[in-house]
Amino acid sequence: MEKGNVKALLPIGVFLVLYLGLGILFEYGLGIPMGFYNIPIVVIFLVALMVACFQNKNLTFDDKLVIMGRGIGDKTIVTMILIFMAAGVFVGTVGRGSAESVAFFMLDIIPAEFSVAVLFVVSCFVSVSMGTSVGTITLITPIAVAVATASGYSLPLCVASVMGGAMFGDNLSFISDTTIAACQGQGVAMKDKFRENFKIALPAAIATVVVILVLTLGQGSAQPMHQSYELVELIPYLIVLVGGIIGINVFIVLLLGIVFGSLIVVATGTTAPIDLVASMGSGAAGMFETAMVAILVSAICALIREYGGFRALLNGIKSLFKSKRGGQLGMGLLVCAMDIATANNTVAIVMANPIAKEMSETYDISPRKTASLLDTFSCVSQGIIPYGAQMLVALSACAELGQVISAFQVIPFLFYPFLLLLSSLVFIFLIPDRRGFNDGSQVEVQPQS
């Protein structure tokens, strides 16, 4: 077995200590709202990269620049950044007005006693269409507050239903940061990862609806909600969703979405032509930090791999997890740990990608399953942690409407993330992979030349 170098993992440790330490200080020590998200994550990654550059004096700085250049110039990294930009332009083009239209449409046509379950289903659909859990929560939480006020249903339950549905789409959407990062990092077609994930997410979503219905039927005095809505604005989202499922190239799908979205928002008067161009620019700019994180992490990971850090980490994981199923669980725990430390599931996936890719080769796990595990487990942890953007945005939206609740009131009602974890474990340990992976057999780490 090739010996690794544990010291090469120091840059990851420096990043986690600085980011987690400052996050706790800002959020709980200084009481700064959204404390974790006031930390300049790009600066923290630059510090970690500096630490990596000072390691291994056997290599000159020019040699290290060449290694970093190879890492950053990898096809998967370039493709990932381009997709981030295209997805940003799409979101900037179509806007988010159709999300409320979908919500009010479903609340209008479905009996009021099912309103909490409708909040979950609407959030699922909106987040799959929009590709953002935070955006979904921002839009649908005020509706959840209105539903709770009008019906008498528990506000934490209504908010948790929205959050659960938002994480469903975060996990499955073709334009979600997490999907893009997981698929490009593992070299997987989005449709294959979607199909793999859907088998895990759908049972969890159905079980969530059942649990919500059991808790709410006959418990409130729900009143119908009548609001205006424009469903024509939903067409670009449907184009992206259907195009992604049937396997059309992601760039073509996003281009079609941008073109049709532009025509619709201009034709309906939602956006003026000159404002449309500005919105496209704003959407692309919104992906700047995510793209920079991908670039910096790829540079750091290239150095860590060269120094033998990933080999040391893989050797440690192999000592704990002996089988293919254990390897899959190890991947899940790895990305969960990264997410708990960073409170950002996209960053967690980007950081875990190169390690998981080597683990997939070591444990003979298919790339589509690796991508699915990274995305699913990161969404489980991100959907539950009380200091994540999803929870903080939901609580902030409630507070703005005069309804103050705490994260610990919401967490017991986060049925979907917990059921998604259960479903993931079932698929790892009880359901064999049709390709012959995940058979539970013992594996050996092959030395690399």
Side-chain angles (χ1 to χ4, degrees):
M1 182 186 297
E2 183 181 348
K3 186 177 180 181
N5 178 13
V6 176
K7 293 180 180 179
L9 296 172
L10 179 62
I12 295 178
V14 168
F15 169 80
L16 295 178
V17 169
L18 286 177
Y19 189 82
L20 187 59
L22 287 174
I24 293 173
L25 174 63
F26 285 10
E27 185 77 31
Y28 302 106
L30 302 178
I32 299 174
M34 300 285 288
F36 275 87
Y37 298 90
N38 281 299
I39 300 171
I41 192 169
V42 171
V43 175
I44 304 298
F45 271 121
L46 280 172
V47 173
L49 180 59
M50 188 185 306
V51 171
C53 288
F54 277 112
Q55 290 182 296
N56 196 343
K57 296 182 179 179
N58 294 325
L59 295 173
T60 66
F61 184 65
D62 282 344
D63 292 335
K64 294 171 183 176
L65 286 175
V66 171
I67 294 168
M68 288 187 281
R70 286 201 300 263
I72 296 171
D74 185 83
K75 176 186 174 183
T76 59
I77 301 299
V78 175
T79 305
M80 184 191 306
I81 292 170
L82 291 176
I83 295 175
F84 279 146
M85 294 296 103
V89 172
F90 171 77
V91 172
T93 299
V94 299
R96 297 173 176 177
S98 61
E100 291 185 354
S101 293
V102 174
F104 289 130
F105 170 69
M106 295 191 70
L107 287 168
D108 189 33
I109 65 173
I110 296 176
E113 56 265 30
F114 301 111
S115 55
V116 181
V118 170
L119 285 173
F120 174 75
V121 175
V122 166
S123 299
C124 288
F125 185 82
V126 169
S127 57
V128 169
S129 301
M130 292 176 59
T132 165
S133 55
V134 172
T136 299
I137 292 168
T138 301
L139 289 169
I140 309 299
T141 298
I143 301 174
V145 174
V147 168
T149 302
S151 66
Y153 290 126
S154 163
L155 178 57
L157 172 61
C158 292
V159 171
S161 298
V162 172
M163 288 182 61
M167 297 315 299
F168 175 88
D170 200 323
N171 185 208
L172 289 176
S173 175
F174 288 90
I175 57 174
S176 166
D177 293 359
T178 58
T179 294
I180 295 169
C183 289
Q184 295 306 312
Q186 302 304 317
V188 179
M190 290 190 179
K191 64 176 182 178
D192 293 334
K193 182 262 186 187
F194 176 87
R195 292 166 182 165
E196 189 75 24
N197 259 22
F198 194 69
K199 295 182 296 184
I200 301 172
L202 183 61
I206 292 174
T208 299
V209 171
V210 171
V211 172
I212 292 173
L213 289 175
V214 169
L215 289 177
T216 59
L217 282 181
Q219 299 301 312
S221 55
Q223 301 295 321
M225 293 185 64
H226 299 291
Q227 298 283 343
S228 61
Y229 43 82
E230 293 289 342
L231 293 182
V232 68
E233 297 176 356
L234 189 61
I235 293 175
Y237 293 124
L238 291 176
I239 290 173
V240 171
L241 179 60
V242 175
I245 291 174
I246 63 178
I248 299 175
N249 181 279
V250 63
F251 288 110
I252 295 176
V253 169
L254 287 170
L255 179 60
L256 289 173
I258 291 168
V259 170
F260 278 93
S262 299
L263 293 174
I264 289 171
V265 297
V266 171
T268 58
T270 304
T271 305
I274 192 169
D275 293 331
L276 176 62
V277 177
S279 297
M280 288 181 176
S282 298
M287 290 291 188
F288 169 77
E289 184 174 85
T290 303
M292 285 305 304
V293 165
I295 291 171
L296 291 172
V297 169
S298 63
I300 293 169
C301 288
L303 292 175
I304 292 175
R305 182 185 289 107
E306 182 72 20
Y307 300 165
F310 287 164
R311 176 50 51 191
L313 185 59
L314 283 170
N315 291 344
I317 292 173
K318 181 180 176 290
S319 67
L320 295 175
F321 302 101
K322 305 294 185 181
S323 68
K324 293 178 182 179
R325 290 187 175 116
Q328 292 178 67
L329 180 60
M331 284 182 184
L333 294 177
L334 171 68
V335 76
C336 278
M338 296 288 191
D339 182 65
I340 290 170
T342 62
N344 187 313
N345 49 345
T346 303
V347 173
I349 291 172
V350 171
M351 292 178 67
N353 257 330
I355 305 171
K357 195 171 184 66
E358 294 197 27
M359 288 178 67
S360 69
E361 297 170 358
T362 299
Y363 289 94
D364 197 23
I365 301 167
S366 62
R368 60 180 170 78
K369 179 154 282 188
T370 301
S372 175
L373 288 169
L374 291 177
D375 202 347
T376 301
F377 274 88
S378 72
C379 285
V380 167
S381 55
Q382 187 68 23
I384 295 172
I385 55 175
Y387 51 88
Q390 289 76 5
M391 179 68 77
L392 296 175
V393 166
L395 299 181
S396 176
C398 291
E400 288 177 3
L401 296 171
Q403 301 289 334
V404 178
I405 55 175
S406 72
F408 298 101
Q409 289 176 283
V410 176
I411 289 174
F413 296 106
L414 290 170
F415 305 122
Y416 178 73
F418 290 116
L419 289 169
L420 182 62
L421 174 60
L422 177 61
S423 182
S424 300
L425 295 176
V426 167
F427 269 81
I428 288 175
F429 291 103
L430 299 182
I431 299 179
D433 185 59
R434 68 174 184 269
R435 286 189 175 179
F437 297 102
N438 186 29
D439 60 6
S441 60
Q442 300 293 310
V443 295
E444 295 295 334
V445 175
Q446 299 297 325
Q448 296 183 346
S449 57

